[in-house]
Amino acid sequence: MDSLALFCTASLVAGGVYWFVFLLGAAERKGKRAVHLSGGSISGDKVRDNYKQYWSFFRRPKEIETADKVPAFVDTFYNLVTDIYEWGWGQSFHFSPSVAGKSHRDATRVHEEMAADLLGIRAGDRVLDAGCGVGGPMRAIARHSGANVVGITINEYQVNRAHLHNKTAGLESQCEVVCGNFLDMPFPENSFDGAYSIEATCHAPKLEEVYSEIFRVLKPGSMYVSYEWVTTELYREDDAEHVEIIQGIERGDALPGLRSYRDIVEIARKVGFEVMEEKDLAKPPAGPWWARLKMGRIAYWRNHILVTVLGWLGIAPKGVVDVHEMLFETADYLTRGGETGIFTPMHMILCRKPES
């Protein structure tokens, strides 16, 4: 009897460890699993070195060495975080307002589909996703509108992940992904029927550069919508806590410097857009976009233990634990930014390229 109890206990423990280490999956179960965490295009033995390099880019909170180094800085960041984002968050690397009665996944889909509705795109239209990540929004918008979506991301690893997800979803004929810099896109003038960027242009050192490129590739009369990361009217530069929060967000999200909400319309008009609408989608009656971050604290500690175990076993590259810890600290700054109201990741601007 004692032997049987011992065997059952050992089997239960072994089964629990196997589930915890090998089966615990992503926010989206068809995405990354913990045992497959990597450093993107970075070889496993270089992850920690690249993590240190990332911080060398950002020795001062609001200054990267020079603006021309920003693309490499952002590329390094997404090599480090893409797998962790997919595993712990899902395939859509952005926030959305919480919606009563809807899951996080459904609220995310609604947020993405709203971009398509604002653009007024239809089946057969060719639409640009500027800063597409692994393509979560692209696939939602393609399904919802029937449009053909072309995404661009600076990170080659994300291109490969997006291709895989597009094929799995049966959308490879409708969704195309290109590796490139949205500050200098490999597309001809007047070639898109619409364009959107969801929490992506915050990585541009100068917003007018990416807006100018999007303006160039849009057909006359076409629409562009962007969800921007900005400081709000509540932010005070002379408030030490406010400054700490914003600098924490910048450091942990590869941002060359957050812009004020006041800058967005001015920059859009400067490059030639007609501004049709501007709105902070985070304001009431929208539910708090940071609720998911707060709810994920227990999951973080569970995941952090798992990542640590995988690193100790040599399954996860050295440095992944450091990256995971950085993202948790950043989540706290993001939550504080939302709770204080000084930061929003969804300041929406809807623009139109004039007919002539």
Side-chain angles (χ1 to χ4, degrees):
M1 188 67 178
D2 289 342
S3 297
L4 179 60
L6 183 62
F7 174 78
C8 291
T9 301
S11 299
L12 185 63
V13 170
V17 170
Y18 179 82
W19 174 84
F20 190 77
V21 174
F22 293 99
L23 298 183
L24 188 63
E28 297 189 33
R29 292 292 178 179
K30 295 181 181 178
K32 274 282 176 179
R33 293 194 180 278
V35 291
H36 298 141
L37 293 178
S38 72
S41 298
I42 302 169
S43 61
D45 61 336
K46 298 293 184 183
V47 172
R48 178 164 286 170
D49 289 343
N50 275 262
Y51 173 74
K52 292 177 181 177
Q53 180 189 14
Y54 172 78
W55 282 107
S56 76
F57 280 132
F58 232 142
R59 292 192 186 281
R60 292 184 293 272
K62 284 181 71 67
E63 297 177 24
I64 300 173
E65 295 169 31
T66 57
D68 65 322
K69 294 188 177 181
V70 172
F73 166 73
V74 174
D75 185 37
T76 296
F77 174 76
Y78 278 111
N79 273 322
L80 293 170
V81 305
T82 291
D83 276 359
I84 294 177
Y85 276 4
E86 274 202 65
W87 173 54
W89 191 262
Q91 294 172 18
S92 294
F93 296 176
H94 64 81
F95 297 104
S96 58
S98 57
V99 180
K102 289 188 179 294
S103 67
H104 293 307
R105 185 181 298 184
D106 287 341
T108 296
R109 177 180 50 78
V110 168
H111 195 53
E112 294 164 347
E113 290 176 352
M114 183 174 66
D117 294 340
L118 287 166
L119 294 176
I121 52 178
R122 299 169 294 180
D125 284 348
R126 188 167 185 254
V127 180
L128 172 68
D129 181 335
C132 65
V134 299
M138 168 191 297
R139 289 181 287 278
I141 287 172
R143 289 191 192 97
H144 179 66
S145 67
N148 298 313
V149 185
V150 180
I152 185 167
T153 171
I154 201 167
N155 185 261
E156 184 179 1
Y157 182 69
Q158 290 189 337
V159 172
N160 295 333
R161 292 296 298 167
H163 282 156
L164 176 64
H165 291 313
N166 291 344
K167 184 176 181 179
T168 301
L171 293 169
E172 63 266 46
S173 64
Q174 209 177 330
C175 296
E176 177 187 349
V177 189
V178 174
C179 188
N181 187 342
F182 60 20
L183 302 177
D184 184 20
M185 293 189 282
F187 308 124
E189 295 181 3
N190 308 323
S191 56
F192 287 96
D193 300 297
Y196 65 88
S197 48
I198 298 180
E199 302 184 27
T201 58
C202 51
H203 293 300
K206 293 182 179 179
L207 189 61
E208 53 264 45
E209 292 182 353
V210 62
Y211 275 15
S212 293
E213 268 295 272
I214 292 168
F215 185 89
R216 180 183 67 82
V217 302
L218 274 178
K219 295 176 182 178
S222 296
M223 306 288 282
Y224 167 58
V225 64
S226 183
Y227 299 165
E228 295 286 348
W229 281 33
V230 296
T231 56
T232 73
E233 71 280 2
L234 299 179
Y235 175 68
R236 297 289 178 267
E237 291 184 348
D238 58 355
D239 186 310
E241 182 186 6
H242 288 191
V243 172
E244 178 196 359
I245 291 169
I246 296 305
Q247 290 181 350
I249 293 171
E250 291 169 347
R251 286 193 302 269
D253 284 295
L255 306 182
L258 272 169
R259 284 168 274 271
S260 167
Y261 77 99
R262 298 182 184 91
D263 300 332
I264 308 304
V265 166
E266 179 183 349
I267 292 171
R269 287 178 175 151
K270 180 180 178 181
V271 306
F273 279 120
E274 298 171 349
V275 177
M276 313 302 291
E277 185 179 356
E278 180 188 24
K279 181 181 180 181
D280 183 357
L281 300 177
K283 292 197 171 188
W289 55 266
W290 61 91
R292 187 177 176 188
L293 291 172
K294 294 190 73 171
M295 292 171 61
R297 288 180 179 274
I298 295 176
Y300 161 77
W301 288 112
R302 176 200 65 190
N303 291 350
H304 198 63
I305 292 171
L306 176 56
V307 170
T308 302
V309 170
L310 292 174
W312 179 72
L313 293 174
I315 297 172
K318 292 179 180 178
V320 169
V321 175
D322 299 322
V323 176
H324 193 261
E325 186 171 355
M326 175 190 76
L327 294 178
F328 177 69
E329 292 174 357
T330 305
D332 183 61
Y333 284 120
L334 287 163
T335 300
R336 290 166 63 189
E339 289 178 333
T340 58
I342 66 171
F343 165 77
T344 176
M346 52 191 72
H347 187 87
M348 185 276 290
I349 183 169
L350 179 65
C351 305
R352 178 179 179 272
K353 181 174 179 176
E355 291 283 358
S356 59

